[in-house]
């Protein structure tokens, strides 16, 4: 059974940092693209970041570029998101999500959907 | 960026009825790369449909997806009590991938 378990959320002050983790099991982690997707309280879904199976290709949403860093450790079946310079608008539940495959759009960027999601971890940015 | 607009915002129906949810894109979605997800309160989203019309593993056949270009539809043929939830569409035809704002399916 595929399982994705996030951890590391909590309350942090504006300008602070937090590191999220996602522990994967039940599948060959090194063979899949992984992502972070967030959902602000009472709001819709927003893709945050993508990392390829090998870690060689990484994308970020414009809203977090330069502040967040995605990484993975295939030996430990683990995905991470380092979040710096946090803002109130970063308050959300953060989900790790697996992409079963990917395609290329007309600009050469990888595009994908999500077949499994973790239960999420809540990040609250407030003073 | 492709903007997805879902309608209606809220749909009130009774168990056993047919539900039709719409997702309209601001520009054509390449290769019908559109997915649908279901989300229940306090839970993670669950993949229902990908490629506009392919059911994900384990999804009952009362769920079906259709459409192409800019207009897509999720149909639930006969509503079961467990189907009342939030539904999101997502396009992956071009970067960045984007989600619709959601349709809430509630019990009438």
């Amino acid at each position: 059974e595929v399982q994705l378990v996030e951890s590391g959320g909590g309350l942090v002050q504006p300008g602070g940092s937090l590191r999220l983790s996602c522990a994967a099991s039940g599948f060959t982690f090194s063979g899949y693209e992984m992502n972070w997707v967030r959902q602000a309280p009472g709001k819709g879904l927003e893709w945050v970041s993508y990392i390829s199976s090998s870690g060689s290709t990484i994308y970020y949403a414009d809203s977090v570029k330069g502040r967040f860093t995605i990484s993975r450790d295939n030996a430990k079946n683990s995905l991470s998101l380092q979040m710096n310079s946090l803002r109130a608008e970063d308050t959300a539940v953060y989900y790790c999500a697996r992409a079963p495959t990917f395609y290329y759009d007309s600009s050469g960027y990888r595009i994908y959907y999500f077949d499994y999601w973790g239960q999420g971890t809540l990040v609250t940015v407030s003073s | 960026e492709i903007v997805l607009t879902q309608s209606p915002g809220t749909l009130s129906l009774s168990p056993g009825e047919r539900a039709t949810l719409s997702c309209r894109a601001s520009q054509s979605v390449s290769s019908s790369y559109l997915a649908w997800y279901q989300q229940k309160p306090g839970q993670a989203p669950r993949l229902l449909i990908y490629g506009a019309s392919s059911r994900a593993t384990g999804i009952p056949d009362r769920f079906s997806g259709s459409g192409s270009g800019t207009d897509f539809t999720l149909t639930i043929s006969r509503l079961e009590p467990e189907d009342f939830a939030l539904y999101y569409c997502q396009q992956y035809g071009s970067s960045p991938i984007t989600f619709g704002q959601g349709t809430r399916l509630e019990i009438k």
Side-chain angles (χ1 to χ4, degrees), chain A residues 33-46:
Chain A
E33 331 292 303
M34 297 297 297
N35 296 262
W36 290 96
V37 179
R38 68 184 180 184
Q39 186 171 35
K43 302 296 185 182
L45 300 164
E46 180 190 16

Side-chain angles (χ1 to χ4, degrees), chain A residues 70-121:
Chain A
I70 191 172
S71 61
R72 65 189 296 160
D73 185 335
N74 285 341
K76 295 183 178 179
N77 294 339
S78 177
L79 176 72
S80 296
L81 186 68
Q82 176 66 42
M83 305 185 296
N84 298 330
S85 304
L86 284 161
R87 307 166 180 168
E89 54 265 35
D90 296 318
T91 294
V93 174
Y94 285 73
Y95 297 101
C96 66
R98 189 183 85 166
T101 187
F102 67 89
Y103 310 90
Y104 289 99
D105 71 3
S106 58
S107 300
Y109 285 96
R110 299 182 182 191
I111 47 177
Y112 36 82
Y113 61 96
F114 311 105
D115 63 347
Y116 286 97
W117 302 61
Q119 286 301 302
T121 187

